[in-house]
Amino acid sequence: MDTLVFVTAELQTKQTSLDRLRRLLFGAKTEKTRTILAPGAAPGAPEPGASPSAAAGPSAPGPPRPGHGRTAAAAYTGADTVKIPHPSLRRADRCPGCVKGKIYPLTEPATLVRITGMAPLGATVYACERWRCNLCGEVFTAPAPEGVGTAKYDATATSMVGLLKYGCGLPFHRIEVLQRAMRIPLPAATQWELVHDALPQLRPAWDELLRQAAQGEVVYNDDTTMTVLALTAEQRRAAAADEETDARTGVFTSGIVATGDGHHIALFFTGRQHAGENLADVLAQRAADLAPPIQMCDALPTNTAGDFDTILAACLAHARRRFVDVVEHFPAEVRHVLEALREVYRIDALARERALSPEERLRLHQATSGPLLADLETWLRQQLDDHLVEPNSGLGAAIAYMRKHWAKLTLFLRVPGAPLDNNVCERALKKVILHRKNALFYKTLNGARVGDVFMSLIHTAELNGIAPFEYLVALQRHHQEVALDPSKWLPWTYEATLTALRARASPPG
C-alpha cells in the first residue's frame, strides 16, 4: 500500500509538472473557475448530456462578447484634431432642405478618423543655405529655425526608445531594423547612449518615488530571475563581503508595488538581492512614526522584509493555484474550494464597484466572506483529520499549504485594506519577463540599473493612468526643476506643475 501511494503521488506530481511546463511554453488561456472545472460546474452551465437549447431556455440572448467593437473617436486623445467648417452654411441661414427653417450648429461634430503609418522616431533635415564671399572667402549660413536647438536627439527620441525597449520589450536591435526599414537609421549603440545619458535626469524622480513608496499603506513584492552577463570587479568584491549573497549564483529582478493616498508606485531592482532584501532597503526610508505597512507576497521566506515590522498577508491566488494543478485527479474536491473562493472574489469586486472605504470593505467581507471561509476551513481540516485525503497526494499538499498559512491568507477579514492576492505585483513583473523573453539578458548591472529606472517610471505612470511617453519627455525637458523639487514631478503632480510653469512664462495681458 505504501508503494502504491508513493507511485500514485509521483504520477500526480509528474502530471502537474507537465501541466505547468505546458502552460509555461504555450501560456494558460485562463484560470477562471468555469473553465477549470468540468462542464456543469459553473452556475447556469448545461449538465452533461443536456442540449444547449434546453439549458439556455427559449430566448436567452447573452451579452455581446467583448473586444469586437470599434474604437470610438474619443479614444484617440493623442491624435491631432482638425476642425473643418462647412463651406457654405452659416448660423441662421435658411435650411437648404425645406427652405423655411433656420439652421444652427450642433455641439457634437461628425468625426472621421484617419490613421497613417510612420516610423517610431522621425527625423527632419534642415538644409541651411550658405553664401561665400569671392574676395575674403567668408561663409554666411542661414540661421536655423527657432526652437530647433543644438542637440541632434530630442527628449522625445530618448523617451520613445525607452518606452519601446523597457515598456514594450523591443530589443535595441529590433528597433534598429525597424528604423532602417523606414529609412531613418538609428543604430543600437546610439539607442543605448540615449537611455544611458538620460539616467541622471530621471534619477531624482525615481528616488522620490522610492521615498514615497516607503511611506505606503500596502506594499506588494515578488521577484523573478534575470541574467546579467558581466559583473564588475567592484560589484564582485561587494558581493563577497556578504557571505549569504556571495553564496548565491543567481541574479533576480524584484518588483515592489506600493499603494497609498490613492496612488500606485512600481519599483524594480535587479541584482543579487531577493525581493525581501530589496523591500527592507525601501522600508529603511519609512518615517518612524508611521504604523507598519501591510505586506502582500507569497509564502516564500525570501519575500519577507527581514527586521522591518510589517503586517504580513499571503497571496490567496497562489494557494488557489495549488488546487488548480490537481483538478484532473480530484475534480469534486477542487470544485468545492474554487467555488468558495470565487464567491470571496465576487464580494471583493462588489466592494470595488461600490467604492467602499477600507473599513466598509472589511465589514462587508466579515459579514459575507467570513462564514464562507469558516466553512471552508472546517472542510479543509476534516479532509486530513478524518483521513479522507492522503496527506502526501497533490490535494493533501494543497490543503496543508492553505491550512499552514490560513491566518495570512485571510488577513483581509481582520485588517482594513488588506488585499486578497499579489496579482498587482505579478502583473508588474510582466514588464521584466517581457524584457527577458525578448532581450534575454542585461549585459552589465549598469544596464540593469537603467532598465530598472525606466521600467519603474513607465509602469508607475501606467498604474496611475498617465501617458508614460509624455511623462518621460517632461522629466527630461525640465530636469533642472525636477532635481530641485522632485515631489512636484511625480506622475500625478507633474501636469499641474507644467501648467503653473506655462502660466508664469506667459502672464495674462
Side-chain angles (χ1 to χ4, degrees):
M1 290 301 297
D2 291 340
T3 303
L4 177 61
V5 169
F6 173 78
V7 172
T8 304
E10 286 297 308
L11 289 175
Q12 292 173 359
T13 303
K14 293 295 183 182
Q15 181 62 37
T16 298
S17 300
L18 289 174
D19 290 339
R20 288 182 176 177
L21 178 61
R22 192 178 298 112
R23 288 196 297 269
L24 180 65
L25 292 176
F26 304 107
K29 294 183 178 180
T30 179
E31 287 189 359
K32 292 183 177 180
T33 303
R34 64 174 177 266
T35 58
I36 292 172
L37 300 179
E47 293 294 332
S51 63
S53 58
S59 60
R65 293 178 59 190
H68 292 275
R70 296 181 179 180
T71 304
Y76 298 93
T77 55
D80 297 329
T81 301
V82 180
K83 295 184 178 181
I84 304 176
H86 198 281
S88 59
L89 298 181
R90 298 293 181 270
R91 180 187 291 272
D93 286 353
R94 289 292 180 182
C95 173
C98 67
V99 197
K100 296 181 180 180
K102 295 182 179 181
I103 61 172
Y104 62 93
L106 297 177
T107 305
E108 293 294 332
T111 56
L112 301 173
V113 179
R114 298 295 180 265
I115 300 176
T116 58
M118 63 185 69
L121 285 87
T124 303
V125 178
Y126 295 93
C128 300
E129 191 177 51
R130 296 193 301 170
W131 294 80
R132 183 177 183 272
C133 176
N134 65 348
L135 180 61
C136 67
E138 185 174 355
V139 177
F140 303 92
T141 305
E146 184 179 357
V148 171
T150 58
K152 181 177 180 180
Y153 296 98
D154 186 63
T156 55
T158 303
S159 301
M160 179 59 71
V161 172
L163 184 59
L164 291 175
K165 167 70 172 175
Y166 303 110
C168 301
L170 282 178
F172 289 140
H173 175 69
R174 294 186 190 176
I175 302 175
E176 177 183 353
V177 173
L178 177 59
Q179 288 295 128
R180 190 189 309 129
M182 304 299 293
R183 296 192 296 180
I184 304 176
L186 185 66
T190 303
Q191 299 174 48
W192 160 248
E193 291 175 358
L194 290 177
V195 296
H196 176 265
D197 294 344
L199 185 62
Q201 301 174 356
L202 303 178
R203 189 61 186 261
W206 186 88
D207 291 336
E208 180 63 19
L209 286 177
L210 188 148
R211 189 192 67 81
Q212 294 207 15
Q215 325 306 321
E217 301 167 1
V218 183
V219 289
Y220 307 75
N221 70 312
D222 201 356
D223 56 19
T224 186
T225 57
M226 182 55 67
T227 301
V228 178
L229 294 185
L231 298 177
T232 65
E234 181 181 352
Q235 291 161 351
R236 292 183 185 277
R237 287 194 298 269
D242 186 347
E243 295 181 0
E244 181 182 355
T245 306
D246 184 47
R248 298 176 189 163
T249 57
V251 178
F252 313 92
T253 295
S254 301
I256 297 176
V257 178
T259 62
D261 297 330
H263 307 303
H264 291 71
I265 299 175
L267 298 173
F268 298 94
F269 304 87
T270 299
R272 292 179 178 270
Q273 294 193 146
H274 283 292
E277 295 163 328
N278 288 314
L279 179 60
D281 293 341
V282 172
L283 294 181
Q285 300 191 31
R286 187 175 181 85
D289 57 341
L290 290 179
I294 300 171
Q295 179 191 353
M296 166 56 72
C297 60
D298 57 37
L300 290 176
T302 55
N303 289 331
T304 55
D307 296 334
F308 287 91
D309 189 17
T310 61
I311 304 174
L312 194 59
C315 177
L316 198 60
H318 278 77
R320 178 184 181 276
R321 190 167 298 123
R322 291 174 175 265
F323 289 92
V324 171
D325 289 338
V326 297
V327 65
E328 293 185 3
H329 303 286
F330 306 95
E333 293 83 353
V334 171
R335 177 183 304 173
H336 181 81
V337 175
L338 296 191
E339 289 183 344
L341 296 181
R342 176 173 57 187
E343 187 64 18
V344 173
Y345 273 92
R346 188 195 66 80
I347 294 167
D348 199 62
L350 183 62
R352 288 194 303 271
E353 181 182 345
R354 296 178 179 177
L356 301 182
S357 66
E359 290 74 15
E360 293 172 335
R361 171 179 174 269
L362 174 63
R363 289 193 292 269
L364 176 64
H365 272 301
Q366 288 175 338
T368 54
S369 302
L372 290 172
L373 292 177
D375 293 341
L376 178 60
E377 184 184 17
T378 302
W379 182 86
L380 293 172
R381 186 172 58 251
Q382 290 175 346
Q383 301 307 300
L384 294 181
D385 294 349
D386 296 347
H387 305 289
L388 302 178
V389 173
E390 167 59 41
N392 294 325
S393 65
L395 179 61
I399 293 176
Y401 177 89
M402 181 169 278
R403 289 187 58 189
K404 178 180 178 181
H405 304 286
W406 185 260
K408 292 181 289 186
L409 290 170
T410 59
L411 185 69
F412 63 93
L413 294 177
R414 300 182 300 279
V415 178
L420 269 66
D421 51 46
N422 200 29
N423 288 352
V424 64
C425 189
E426 300 284 349
R427 288 192 293 267
L429 283 175
K430 288 185 178 181
K431 291 281 185 188
V432 181
I433 297 171
L434 181 63
H435 177 272
R436 184 183 64 201
K437 178 181 178 181
N438 291 287
L440 303 181
F441 53 80
Y442 289 113
K443 185 175 181 180
T444 64
L445 278 180
N446 186 34
R449 189 175 299 109
V450 173
D452 291 342
V453 171
F454 268 93
M455 284 187 190
S456 300
L457 296 174
I458 290 171
H459 196 52
T460 300
E462 292 173 343
L463 288 175
N464 292 277
I466 302 298
F469 174 76
E470 298 174 1
Y471 179 55
L472 293 175
V473 171
L475 292 180
Q476 294 172 78
R477 288 182 173 172
H478 301 274
H479 61 92
Q480 295 178 343
E481 293 89 343
V482 175
L484 293 176
D485 190 358
S487 64
K488 294 182 178 180
W489 293 92
L490 300 178
W492 50 88
T493 59
Y494 91 98
E495 291 179 332
T497 304
L498 281 178
T499 302
L501 286 178
R502 297 191 187 105
R504 288 198 297 268
S506 56

